[in-house]
Amino acid sequence: MAHVKATNGGIGYFELSFAKNAKLPTVRLDTGAGREPVTVSAVSAESASA
């Protein structure tokens, strides 16, 4: 995680709660299903798996 955090423009794959606890910025995903990208959250993940 330290390498991703220290690298400008670095991309990593972390579980959401880990990213939040480490204060890592997260992305908004363009799913193609709506007008706006979706903010990553427990609610959006639950909706996607339904």
Side-chain angles (χ1 to χ4, degrees):
M1 179 209 49
H3 291 291
V4 173
K5 201 170 188 178
T7 303
N8 187 24
I11 298 172
Y13 182 83
F14 299 99
E15 193 231 29
L16 181 59
S17 63
F18 182 83
K20 286 186 178 264
N21 287 336
K23 297 186 175 28
L24 292 171
T26 57
V27 300
R28 291 176 41 148
L29 300 173
D30 184 351
T31 64
R35 292 184 181 176
E36 297 294 321
V38 177
T39 301
V40 179
S41 68
V43 173
S44 63
E46 185 178 319
S47 296
S49 66

